[in-house]
């Protein structure tokens, strides 16, 4: 599986951090190393699919009611695709095959995944295997391509099932093209998950435009980074969720302070020539959307005050990407990072507390 296998309890920091352990888990790789499944079997998937909408899930579908055309993908096919994807993950992780990532993923998922495998290879890390259980599916009724659907599942690792859901967004770019994963956010605060608009068959209305929403999904990447740095965009009112104020803002603040103590300064920008990742939207029952978005940011860390350089700690993802897993030091480092977000954007007519950041992933991609 691309991305972190469980909520990354290390807050995203704008400075090199050592790999740490997460409670209740076996040794884990860095946050971008993908946890892939070796334990998922068809029977388990189909059993979970048969229970779609039941049990401990983030949002139950609406009761049965008259339906339109059937969803473009059904539960049986979606369960098979999830099984095949998990099996391919296992093979790719076992061989640290970065080239193989492109056969099962699209950007931004593949972007973070390949960087994670590079780190694992440099650090000689064995990527732990994981499984996906109790899946339920949401199928937007789309005409034409790209088509997509979302698998909302829980993670099985070391005989422990995660209490929080993971969202795997599968995309088919064109007719007869393979289905690949483009997003893989892991929700860190279940209390903030909105209810999705879907029927008993998992079918969901297509979101064809963003008119009437409280904020444009394209503005979220910059708004989140501005918020972490103490700025506010009145056009994008943000709700103070735990993910926003704790994981994102708290991590940024702690990182800046730690660097300053080492005599280093950091500047984060969103490069104008950076890649543009696709956005996907699911309709929520309140008339808003669940938005999958991503942006690439650039951190420039510079030594100041006569210090002898910016340190990259031994064992950190950044040191591995710099080709020096034992640690390194230089007057300046430029780090490109992938930031993936899962957000609830309410309708402008019923804004509530504002846009909610539900899941946030920060993955170092390169160090120069």
């Amino acid at each position: 599986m691309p991305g972190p296998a469980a909520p990354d309890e290390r807050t995203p920091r704008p400075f090199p951090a050592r790999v740490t352990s997460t409670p209740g888990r076996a040794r884990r790789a860095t946050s971008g190393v993908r946890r892939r499944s070796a334990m998922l079997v068809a029977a388990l998937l189909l059993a979970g699919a048969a229970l779609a909408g039941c049990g401990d899930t983030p949002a139950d579908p609406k009761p049965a009611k008259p339906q339109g055309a059937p969803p473009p993908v059904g539960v049986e096919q979606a369960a098979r695709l999830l099984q095949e994807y998990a099996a391919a993950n296992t093979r790719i992780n076992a061989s640290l095959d970065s080239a193989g990532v492109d056969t099962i993923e699209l950007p931004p998922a593949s972007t973070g995944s390949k960087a994670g495998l590079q780190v694992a290879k440099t650090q000689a890390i064995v990527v732990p295997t994981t499984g996906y259980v109790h899946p339920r599916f949401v199928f937007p009724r789309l005409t034409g391509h790209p088509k997509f659907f979302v698998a909302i599942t829980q993670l099985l690792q070391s005989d422990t099932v995660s209490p929080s859901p993971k969202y795997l967004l599968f995309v088919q770019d064109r007719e007869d093209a393979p289905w690949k994963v483009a997003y893989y956010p892991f929700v860190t605060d279940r209390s903030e998950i909105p209810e999705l608009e879907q029927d008993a068959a998992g079918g969901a209305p297509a979101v064809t435009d963003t008119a009437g929403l409280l904020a444009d999904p394209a503005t979220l990447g910059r708004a989140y980074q501005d918020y972490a740095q103490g700025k506010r965009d009145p056009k994008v009112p943000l709700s103070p969720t735990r993910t926003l104020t704790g994981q994102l803002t708290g991590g940024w603040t702690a990182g800046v302070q730690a660097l300053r103590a080492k005599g280093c300064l950091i500047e984060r920008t969103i490069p104008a020539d950076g890649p543009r990742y696709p956005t996907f939207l699911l309709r929520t029952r309140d008339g808003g959307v669940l938005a999958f978005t991503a942006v690439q940011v650039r951190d420039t860390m510079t030594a100041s005050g006569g210090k002898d350089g910016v340190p990259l700690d031994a064992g950190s993802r950044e040191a591995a990407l710099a080709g020096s897993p034992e640690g390194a030091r230089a007057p300046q480092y430029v780090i490109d990072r992938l930031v993936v977000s899962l957000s609830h954007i309410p309708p402008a007519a019923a804004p509530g507390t504002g846009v909610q950041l539900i899941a946030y992933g920060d993955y170092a991609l390169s160090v120069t």
Side-chain angles (χ1 to χ4, degrees):
M1 171 59 207
D8 191 349
E9 297 190 9
R10 295 179 302 116
T11 53
R13 297 171 184 265
F15 66 98
R18 294 179 180 275
V19 177
T20 58
S21 298
T22 305
R25 294 178 49 195
R27 183 183 59 173
R28 63 176 287 169
T30 55
S31 64
V33 175
R34 301 168 303 128
R35 312 325 198 208
R36 304 183 179 275
S37 170
M39 297 179 284
L40 188 62
V41 295
L44 187 56
L45 268 173
L46 293 176
L51 295 174
C54 300
D56 196 12
T57 56
D60 293 330
K62 284 186 174 182
K65 67 177 183 179
Q67 301 172 25
V73 179
V75 170
E76 184 176 353
Q77 181 185 2
R80 186 180 69 252
L81 289 168
L82 182 56
Q83 177 196 2
E84 292 171 352
Y85 177 63
N89 281 339
T90 299
R91 293 192 299 271
I92 290 171
N93 263 2
S95 58
L96 298 179
D97 178 18
S98 295
V101 171
D102 289 327
T103 65
I104 60 171
E105 296 171 11
L106 297 168
S110 60
T111 303
S113 296
K114 286 187 280 190
L117 285 181
Q118 180 184 340
V119 171
K121 186 178 296 185
T122 301
Q123 295 180 333
I125 290 174
V126 177
V127 182
T129 58
T130 58
Y132 306 104
V133 297
H134 311 312
R136 57 177 288 262
F137 303 99
V138 183
F139 309 111
R141 288 188 166 90
L142 298 165
T143 58
H145 286 80
K147 285 184 169 67
F148 75 95
F149 72 90
V150 176
I152 305 171
T153 182
Q154 290 171 282
L155 207 67
L156 172 65
Q157 185 174 28
S158 301
D159 299 322
T160 300
V161 176
S162 66
S164 298
K166 194 171 186 70
Y167 286 61
L168 283 75
L169 189 146
F170 287 78
V171 177
Q172 186 187 48
D173 277 336
R174 64 185 185 280
E175 191 69 28
D176 299 327
W179 287 88
K180 299 182 181 181
V181 165
Y183 280 87
Y184 46 84
F186 204 120
V187 174
T188 52
D189 188 345
R190 301 183 64 211
S191 65
E192 295 161 359
I193 302 174
E195 293 186 340
L196 295 173
E197 179 74 22
Q198 62 180 131
D199 58 37
V207 181
T208 56
D209 60 59
T210 58
L213 295 178
L214 183 62
D216 182 349
T219 65
L220 296 185
R222 185 172 298 279
Y224 290 143
Q225 298 307 319
D226 284 348
Y227 186 99
Q229 298 177 61
K231 307 171 188 176
R232 301 292 185 269
D233 183 350
K235 296 180 180 179
V236 189
L238 300 178
S239 176
T241 63
R242 295 181 186 177
T243 306
L244 178 66
T245 60
Q247 185 181 358
L248 172 55
T249 304
W252 171 263
T253 301
V256 169
Q257 292 173 348
L259 277 174
R260 187 177 296 128
K262 296 177 181 180
C264 303
L265 301 177
I266 181 170
E267 179 185 15
R268 171 164 289 189
T269 60
I270 299 179
D273 59 349
R276 297 293 182 265
Y277 298 110
T279 293
F280 296 91
L281 306 175
L282 289 176
R283 182 65 69 189
T284 53
R285 290 190 190 177
D286 62 1
V289 298
L290 192 65
F292 296 76
T293 61
V295 66
Q296 194 158 307
V297 302
R298 179 165 295 161
D299 288 342
T300 301
M301 301 190 301
T302 307
S304 64
K307 296 294 183 179
D308 58 352
V310 178
L312 298 181
D313 293 341
S316 69
R317 180 185 178 100
E318 290 79 4
L321 289 170
S324 301
E326 70 284 356
R329 185 180 293 269
Q332 184 180 83
Y333 285 108
V334 177
I335 304 175
D336 283 341
R337 314 183 77 92
L338 172 67
V339 175
V340 178
S341 303
L342 181 65
S343 310
H344 173 227
I345 308 176
T353 59
V355 176
Q356 293 178 298
L357 179 61
I358 298 171
Y360 179 88
D362 182 329
Y363 313 98
L365 301 177
S366 65
V367 178
T368 55

